[in-house]
Amino acid sequence: MDTAERTELVTRFTEEVVEASEIETLFEERESPTAYIGYAPTGEMHIGHFTTMRKLADFIDAGLDVTVLVADLHAHLDDAKSPFELLDARSEYYETAIRAMIDAAGGDTESVSFVRGTDYQLEEPYTMDLYRTIAETTISRAQRAGSEVIRQSENPKLGGLVYTLMQSLDVAALEADIAYGGIDQRGIYMLARERLPELGYSKPACVFAPLLSGLTGGKMSASEAGSKINLTDDDEAVGSKIEGAYCPAGEIEDNGVLEYLRFLVFPVFEERGERFTVERPAEYGGDLEYDSYGDLEADFVSGDLHPADLKPAASAAISDVIDPVRERLLAEPELLASAYPETHS
RNA sequence: CCGCCCUUAGCUCAGACUGGUAGAGCAGUCGACUGUAGAUCGACUUGCCCCCCGUUCAAAUCGGGGAGGGCGGACCA
C-alpha cells in the first residue's frame, strides 16, 4: 500500500481532517505512525460509538499503531456523569464492548493497545504538565475548547475545564501522532495543536468522525431512548426503533437510517464481502440489491427506493452487524449489571 | 461563620400573599391521514408538590426545624 492509499484509508468517511498533508508526511517518514481515540466511560455504548470504532479497522489496515484510551477520570470530571465508585466497572464494560465492536467490524484487536486514564494521569510528569496548563489557560479559552463535549449547565463545575485541558495533554502523553474523535472534539484538539508545542511536544494531526443524526430527527440524544440503537437492543427493539425513525422519502438531511447504512452497515458488509438486500413486494418492483452506499442513496433520492421498503432491510442489516457485540455483552451480564446497577440489576 | 433566594409531572415553570389534597407548555403514549417516519389534527397518561414536626375540620400554600442547590458578605493572625 502506498502513502496515498494509506492516507485515503485513514481519511475516508470522515467529517474533517486537519491536515491531510500532515498525515501523508507521517506515512512517508514512518512505517507505523500512532493514533489514539478516547472514550469516557459514562452511559451505555450505542451505535454511534460503533461507527467510530468501525473506522479503527481502517486505521489498522492503513498500518497505524492504534491506542484506545478508556478515560475513566474524565467520566467523573464531566459533571460527575459516572460516580467515582462505578468508574472501574464502567471501564471494564467499555473495554469489552469496544473490543467486540472492533472485532465485529473486522479489525484486529490484537494490534490495538488499551490504556486507562488512571494508568498515567496520576503520574508526576502528567500532573506537572496539567498544573502548568491550568496556570496558563484562561477560563474562557478552556470553556470554548470544551463547549461541544462538556455537559453545559447553569452552574458549571471546574471539572469540565480540567477535563478539557487533560484531554489535550492525553494526546502527548499517549504519544499519538493522530488524534481521532467525533467532530464535537474539534475544539479540544485544536487547543492541543495550539498548546502542545509550547510544552515541548509535537503538534498532532486530527481526524474527525461525523456525528450521526438521531433516529427521531435532529441530534442523537442520550436522554432519548428512541433516538439511538443500543448495542444490546434485540432484533425487535432495533426493528421498532427503525420503524419509528424519521426518514422522509428522497431526503438525506438528518436521515439517521441512511447514515447508519453509510457509515456502519456498508463498510462492514464490504469488509465481509456481503451485499445489502432489500426485499420488496412485486407490486412495488420486487427485490433490490446494493454493493455500494452510493447506489442506494441514488435510488433513495430519485424515489426508486421507498423508505417503507428500506426500513425493514436496514433493521435486519443493523441487527446483523450488531449481533456479535450483543452476543458478547449478553454472555457476560454481570458486566452491565455492575456498570449500570440502576438499569441492569 | 453570617445573611438572602430557590426546591411542584421526564424537562421548563405557574399556583403560595387571599389554606379546600395541582395546572400549562414541551416531551411521551395511542388513534386518523400519508405505502415509513415526520408535519398536521384528535384523544390520553404522568406527581412521595425536597424531608420532618406543628397550627387547622382541612396544608403545595401558614409556623418551626432540617437537607440539597445558588448568590452575597464577613473573617483574613
Side-chain angles (χ1 to χ4, degrees):
Chain A
M1 215 183 311
D2 65 24
T3 297
E5 287 172 321
R6 297 172 87 188
T7 305
E8 162 59 21
L9 202 47
V10 166
T11 59
R12 70 168 187 164
F13 301 135
T14 58
E15 181 77 16
E16 186 183 4
V17 176
V18 182
E19 298 277 342
S21 61
E22 294 175 23
I23 289 172
E24 270 191 74
T25 305
L26 284 170
F27 280 131
E28 273 162 20
E29 291 174 351
R30 255 175 308 148
E31 194 44 47
S32 304
T34 55
Y36 108 97
I37 182 165
Y39 293 97
T42 53
E44 280 187 58
M45 302 198 88
H46 52 75
I47 198 165
H49 292 111
F50 203 159
T51 63
T52 60
M53 297 312 324
R54 212 284 322 158
K55 184 90 194 95
L56 292 191
D58 287 345
F59 283 8
I60 294 165
D61 289 347
L64 287 177
D65 209 341
V66 175
T67 296
V68 171
L69 167 66
V70 177
D72 46 5
L73 286 177
H74 284 82
H76 187 71
L77 281 171
D78 184 7
D79 203 31
K81 279 181 180 170
S82 289
F84 237 89
E85 316 77 64
L86 291 180
L87 290 183
D88 222 49
R90 290 191 178 178
S91 295
E92 217 170 302
Y93 155 73
Y94 261 57
E95 198 168 319
T96 301
I98 289 169
R99 283 183 196 281
M101 284 186 272
I102 295 174
D103 272 342
D108 175 19
T109 46
E110 290 305 306
S111 59
V112 175
S113 321
F114 282 81
V115 177
R116 231 173 251 196
T118 41
D119 288 345
Y120 64 91
Q121 289 163 346
L122 303 173
E123 302 296 318
E124 183 171 327
Y126 185 92
T127 310
M128 287 296 278
D129 279 342
L130 178 59
Y131 283 136
R132 265 184 81 179
T133 308
I134 285 175
E136 290 160 9
T137 308
T138 62
I139 291 174
S140 60
R141 182 72 184 88
Q143 263 170 351
R144 183 160 62 84
S147 64
E148 294 296 315
V149 175
I150 296 304
R151 180 181 282 167
Q152 302 296 305
S153 76
E154 203 179 334
N155 303 296
K157 309 285 196 296
L158 284 176
L161 302 178
V162 175
Y163 175 118
T164 301
L165 301 181
M166 283 175 65
Q167 188 173 331
S168 65
L169 292 176
D170 287 339
V171 184
L174 296 171
E175 298 179 327
D177 300 310
I178 300 173
Y180 171 53
I183 190 65
D184 56 325
Q185 311 289 317
R186 193 179 195 284
I188 293 177
Y189 290 134
M190 289 306 117
L191 179 66
R193 280 171 65 87
E194 183 180 320
R195 291 298 171 75
L196 290 181
E198 295 170 18
L199 293 168
Y201 301 106
S202 58
K203 185 164 83 171
C206 309
V207 175
F208 298 113
L211 296 187
L212 302 194
S213 298
L215 289 175
T216 51
K219 288 185 179 175
M220 208 185 287
S221 161
S223 58
E224 202 184 332
S227 80
K228 61 182 196 304
I229 285 169
N230 281 103
L231 296 180
T232 49
D233 282 348
D234 57 24
D235 291 358
E236 195 185 341
V238 172
S240 71
K241 284 179 184 177
I242 294 296
E243 190 192 333
Y246 173 76
C247 186
E251 274 184 43
I252 301 204
E253 197 85 356
D254 287 333
N255 195 324
V257 178
L258 288 181
E259 290 175 21
Y260 286 10
L261 293 173
R262 179 177 185 188
F263 295 109
L264 184 65
V265 171
F266 272 93
V268 170
F269 274 31
E270 179 192 309
E271 177 84 24
R272 292 188 195 161
E274 288 178 34
R275 316 184 78 191
F276 180 73
T277 310
V278 176
E279 289 180 19
R280 189 166 64 173
E283 69 171 299
Y284 295 120
D287 296 357
L288 292 166
E289 291 210 329
Y290 295 98
D291 286 313
S292 79
Y293 170 77
D295 295 343
L296 180 146
E297 186 182 284
D299 275 2
F300 188 80
V301 169
S302 72
D304 289 344
L305 175 58
H306 192 276
D309 295 320
L310 175 63
K311 280 184 168 182
S315 296
I318 291 166
S319 273
D320 188 44
V321 169
I322 282 183
D323 194 56
V325 180
R326 177 166 61 197
E327 292 301 312
R328 198 139 138 200
L329 291 175
L330 295 181
E332 297 179 75
E334 68 282 357
L335 270 182
L336 274 165
S338 50
Y340 304 98
E342 305 280 308
T343 46
H344 283 86
S345 53

